Amino acid sequence: MIRRGPTLEDVAREAGVSRATVSRVVNGVRNVDAAIQDVVRQAIERTGYTPNTAARSLVTGRDPHPVARTETVALVVCGAGDAFAARVFADPFFGRVVSGAVTYLRGRGAHPVLMFAESEAARRQVVDHLRRGSADGALVVSIQADDPLPSMLAAAGVPLVLFARPPEGPALSYVDVDHHEGGRLAAAHLLARGCRRPATIRAPRDLPAGEARLAGFREALERAGRAAPPVVEGGFTVESGAAAMRRLLAEHPRVDGVFAANDLMAQGACEVLRERGLSVPGDVAVVGFDDSSVAVTCRPPLTTVRQPVERMAAAMAELLVGRLQGASVSPAHLVFAPELVVRESA
């Protein structure tokens, strides 16, 4: 029987740090604290670990598209509740994130691994898995403003990049879209097509992105001299959009334009308007947000504010790979511009 030699995992356990941290020390990446470097080197001596020269070339720049030594990156999707995973697969937004990140990573020989963090226990499992060095870093997509996972991963020394600006906590790299400008674009379009009584179906109140979209929408109306719009909260689902539209019609029957904070809620709004015998956009114009596949399949097809999710996810992966290669130490922030895509609903 062939006995294997000491591995990075052995060194990581001995040193009490992540596998990724050991990898950075072994390969001379400079963004590791000197005290941690000493701990890792002592663990290397105790375990007798010898670096693999061929694998080392993955992070020293000899390969034109290098990634860290496991060649594995975790794509962590965070939410809440037992049904969260099912919701992820039903929401086209998450599919676009996965597509953009996977396309970039696979083009560079990296293997993405999808992980869910829908509970406290699941978050601990993710942190423990990554702390052991099972992946070189993490791409984190969270729909919770108070999600503790990014801070937990940062404290564990795991390299990570977030999809969406974190509300607070440690300085972390992220990509995002200008949500405020997206709300402004929606309001400007409804006003330009003659809507006099626009309303909005907002995102859940605890989401910073949703707050920014609402603020942009309101400010654009205010600058145009319009009254504050009626606002009803939705939950990013077709059903919540339908419920919000029913409430809007009950409380504001003369509404003639609706901005929904995502395409799924806009679809729900369109379905209710058809049920009530109202034409879209003849009686009520509808604008969504995302430009997901729903925007094309909706009847009528949705005018929507496009956020370039695939490009954003690819940029997120590029930032992480760059950090793993030692190209950047300071957190990087990329904010993309939204674009109005005009279709039949408005």
Side-chain angles (χ1 to χ4, degrees), residues 73-79 84 88 93-94 97-98 101-102 105 112-119 122-131 135-144 147-150 152-153 158-164 316 320:
V73 170
L75 179 55
V76 186
V77 183
C78 312
F84 176 70
V88 168
F93 168 80
F94 293 103
V97 173
V98 172
V102 167
L105 293 171
V113 176
L114 182 62
M115 305 181 73
F116 292 102
E118 74 283 4
S119 64
R123 286 192 291 270
R124 288 198 301 266
Q125 290 174 357
V126 168
V127 172
D128 185 56
H129 183 78
L130 296 178
R131 182 189 285 121
D136 295 304
L139 304 173
V140 181
V141 185
S142 178
I143 63 170
Q144 294 178 286
D147 188 356
L149 184 63
M152 293 167 66
L153 291 173
V158 177
L160 72 152
V161 179
L162 303 180
F163 192 104
M316 181 170 59
L320 181 61

Side-chain angles (χ1 to χ4, degrees), residues 15-150:
V17 299
S18 73
R19 185 188 191 285
T21 297
V22 175
S23 178
R24 293 198 292 277
V25 173
V26 167
N27 291 289
V29 177
R30 289 176 291 182
N31 63 339
V32 181
D33 183 81
I36 295 178
Q37 291 186 44
D38 290 339
V39 170
V40 172
R41 292 191 182 106
Q42 293 170 17
I44 289 173
E45 292 180 6
R46 291 195 297 271
T47 59
Y49 170 75
T50 302
N52 183 313
T53 312
R56 213 177 150 178
S57 68
L58 290 171
V59 290
T60 55
R62 296 182 192 139
D63 185 280
H65 300 297
V67 292
R69 288 182 58 183
T70 66
E71 301 182 15
T72 301
V73 170
L75 179 55
V76 186
V77 183
C78 312
D82 296 336
F84 176 70
R87 175 184 168 187
V88 168
F89 290 112
D91 191 329
F93 168 80
F94 293 103
R96 294 174 65 194
V97 173
V98 172
S99 175
V102 167
T103 299
Y104 181 89
L105 293 171
R106 291 183 66 184
R108 284 144 186 83
H111 306 289
V113 176
L114 182 62
M115 305 181 73
F116 292 102
E118 74 283 4
S119 64
E120 182 179 352
R123 286 192 291 270
R124 288 198 301 266
Q125 290 174 357
V126 168
V127 172
D128 185 56
H129 183 78
L130 296 178
R131 182 189 285 121
R132 294 199 306 266
S134 301
D136 295 304
L139 304 173
V140 181
V141 185
S142 178
I143 63 170
Q144 294 178 286
D146 58 349
D147 188 356
L149 184 63

Side-chain angles (χ1 to χ4, degrees), residues 173-343:
S173 294
Y174 66 82
V175 299
D176 209 339
V177 71
D178 188 340
H179 299 280
H180 187 279
E181 174 64 8
R184 190 200 68 79
L185 287 173
H189 183 70
L190 289 174
L191 291 174
R193 73 174 312 279
C195 292
R196 302 181 62 83
R197 294 172 295 279
T200 182
I201 301 174
R202 61 168 296 160
R205 294 176 183 273
D206 61 346
L207 292 182
E211 292 296 309
R213 294 174 195 180
L214 177 61
F217 186 75
R218 280 174 162 165
E219 288 178 21
L221 294 180
E222 181 180 353
R223 289 177 182 175
R226 300 301 179 89
V231 179
V232 177
E233 184 172 339
F236 281 154
T237 64
V238 174
E239 294 77 14
S240 69
M245 192 69 242
R246 292 188 188 98
R247 180 177 168 187
L248 280 173
L249 291 174
E251 299 177 359
H252 306 276
R254 299 178 64 203
V255 64
D256 60 359
V258 173
F259 167 49
N262 84 332
D263 291 342
L264 289 171
M265 293 195 296
Q267 180 184 16
C270 288
E271 291 176 358
V272 169
L273 290 168
R274 287 200 307 272
E275 291 172 1
R276 300 292 177 87
L278 297 170
S279 69
V280 179
D283 295 312
V284 182
V286 178
V287 177
F289 198 107
D290 285 337
D291 195 28
S292 64
S293 58
V294 169
V296 179
T297 59
C298 182
R299 292 295 175 262
L302 284 173
T303 290
T304 185
V305 177
R306 176 175 176 79
Q307 55 173 331
V309 174
E310 292 85 356
R311 286 172 49 211
M312 293 165 65
M316 181 170 59
E318 185 177 10
L319 286 177
L320 181 61
V321 170
R323 180 178 175 186
L324 294 174
Q325 295 170 0
S328 175
V329 178
S330 301
H333 309 146
L334 295 177
V335 179
F336 287 72
E339 175 188 359
L340 185 74
V341 179
V342 179
R343 298 191 180 94

